[in-house]
């Protein structure tokens, strides 16, 4: 069986009532068509989807969303995970733009409505769509930048999950193959404990620093990583006992951290 004979990441696309899902350009029919174009390799589909699903806000420095955005997220997730998807890296970048909008939270109305419900729906889709595939990518890719992309996505998905996802993220910490991967996953787990975005104040400064580390390009330096790990170890979930935190601190400093920035991006 070839990759194209397997179930498509767009399975169920026609089951969505797109006539009720306005996009940010004011249409109801273009998003499903563009998702199909992504799967067939059409150039330009990602750029147009960005304008329709997560454009820059016309008045504020934030991303706008609308009804079509959360409806498209599960399909973007599956396309980003499928190795057969053309321009797969660009699809993941588009998905991460939506992820970052969820992380920032609503700051202004979008198309006459407060977008909290749309952003929450996006977050729930992140926490419930293809989670195991994200963990498989986290374990398999040598690209440190992409690992941090996945950790950021999983951490933000945790904010909208009933609890199982954060324990799965904790298990990935325990399964880390070396100190470098352990450091990354500790930072992702700690950021996941922040919860849905709220107005930043002094008490949220630690979360901003972890978010900055997860987004930094190229892969952060050892010093930056060490600082982020120190922050993460102070903000792990409360159910992790002090002895375990101390043991993790010892393990993460056991060997030099390497990020994989010298390896090419995959996908």
């Amino acid at each position: 069986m070839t990759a194209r004979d397997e179930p498509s990441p767009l399975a169920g696309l026609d089951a969505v009532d797109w006539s009720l899902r306005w996009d940010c350009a004011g249409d109801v029919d273009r998003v499903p068509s563009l998702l199909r174009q992504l799967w067939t390799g059409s150039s330009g589909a990602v750029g147009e989807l960005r304008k329709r699903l997560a454009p820059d806000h016309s008045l504020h420095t934030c991303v706008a969303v609308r009804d079509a955005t959360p409806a498209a997220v599960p399909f973007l997730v599956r396309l980003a995970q499928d190795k057969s998807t053309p321009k797969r890296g660009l699809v993941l970048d588009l998905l991460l733009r939506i992820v970052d909008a969820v992380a920032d939270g609503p700051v202004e109305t979008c198309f006459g409505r407060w977008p909290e419900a749309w952003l929450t729906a996006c977050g729930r889709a992140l926490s419930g769509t293809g989670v195991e595939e994200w963990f498989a990518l986290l374990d398999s890719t040598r690209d440190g930048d992409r690992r941090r992309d996945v950790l950021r996505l999983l951490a933000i998905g945790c904010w909208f999950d009933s609890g199982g996802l954060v324990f799965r993220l904790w298990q990935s910490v325990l399964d880390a193959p070396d100190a470098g991967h352990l450091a990354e996953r500790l930072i992702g787990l700690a950021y996941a404990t922040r919860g849905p975005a709220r107005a930043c104040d002094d008490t949220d400064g630690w979360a901003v620093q972890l978010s900055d580390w997860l987004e930094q390009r190229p892969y952060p330096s050892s010093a930056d990583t060490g600082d982020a790990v120190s922050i993460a170890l102070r903000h792990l979930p409360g159910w992790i006992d002090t002895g375990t935190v101390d043991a993790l601190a010892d393990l993460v400093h056991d060997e030099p951290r390497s990020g994989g920035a010298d390896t090419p991006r995959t996908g």
Side-chain angles (χ1 to χ4, degrees):
M1 179 180 288
T2 65
R4 292 289 172 172
D5 292 329
E6 295 174 355
S8 164
L10 300 183
L13 187 66
D14 291 331
V16 177
D17 188 352
W18 293 99
S19 68
L20 301 176
R21 303 282 187 167
W22 296 93
D23 66 33
C24 296
D27 296 312
V28 295
D29 57 347
R30 287 295 294 156
V31 168
S33 174
L34 289 165
L35 290 170
R36 290 190 178 93
Q37 290 178 40
L38 276 184
W39 182 231
T40 58
S42 174
S43 61
V46 174
E48 187 174 347
L49 278 170
R50 172 175 167 144
K51 295 176 183 176
R52 292 180 177 276
L53 297 178
D56 293 327
H57 198 287
S58 58
L59 298 176
H60 294 268
T61 55
C62 63
V63 170
V65 294
R66 206 170 184 181
D67 304 87
T69 310
V73 165
F75 303 105
L76 291 174
V77 166
R78 295 178 192 124
L79 285 164
Q81 292 171 340
D82 196 306
K83 295 179 180 179
S84 302
T85 300
K87 306 184 187 302
R88 183 184 175 202
L90 294 178
V91 176
L92 179 54
D93 289 340
L94 171 59
L95 181 62
L96 287 166
R97 180 174 172 83
I98 297 171
V99 168
D100 289 339
V102 174
D104 290 341
V107 298
E108 184 53 82
T109 57
C110 294
F111 309 98
R113 285 177 54 184
W114 189 245
E116 184 173 9
W118 295 328
L119 293 171
T120 298
C122 289
R124 288 174 178 163
L126 292 171
S127 71
T129 306
V131 168
E132 289 306 317
E133 284 79 2
W134 288 130
F135 282 106
L137 179 58
L138 187 64
D139 289 336
S140 65
T141 184
R142 296 176 58 205
D143 182 348
D145 287 347
R146 278 309 187 208
R147 288 197 303 271
R148 287 180 300 125
D149 288 340
V150 172
L151 283 167
R152 192 161 94 249
L153 186 152
L154 287 169
I156 292 166
C158 283
W159 302 349
F160 300 89
D161 182 70
S162 60
L165 182 52
V166 74
F167 286 108
R168 180 67 182 83
L169 189 54
W170 168 235
Q171 185 62 50
S172 80
V173 171
L174 300 179
D175 293 340
D178 54 50
H181 289 74
L182 177 61
E184 295 171 354
R185 297 175 193 199
L186 282 173
I187 294 166
L189 177 64
Y191 186 53
T193 69
R194 175 200 180 190
R198 53 193 179 272
C200 284
D201 54 29
D202 290 343
T203 62
D204 262 355
W206 67 270
V208 173
Q209 293 179 66
L210 296 189
S211 177
D212 288 346
W213 187 91
L214 289 168
E215 295 184 58
Q216 189 173 328
R217 296 292 187 276
Y219 195 91
S221 69
S222 294
D224 289 337
T225 300
D227 290 343
V229 168
S230 295
I231 294 168
L233 288 168
R234 295 195 299 270
H235 293 90
L236 292 175
W239 39 262
I240 302 177
D241 62 87
T242 303
T244 301
V245 174
D246 291 342
L248 290 170
D250 290 339
L251 286 171
V252 83
H253 294 111
D254 233 7
E255 59 185 90
R257 288 179 290 275
S258 61
D262 56 342
T263 58
R265 282 198 170 198
T266 56

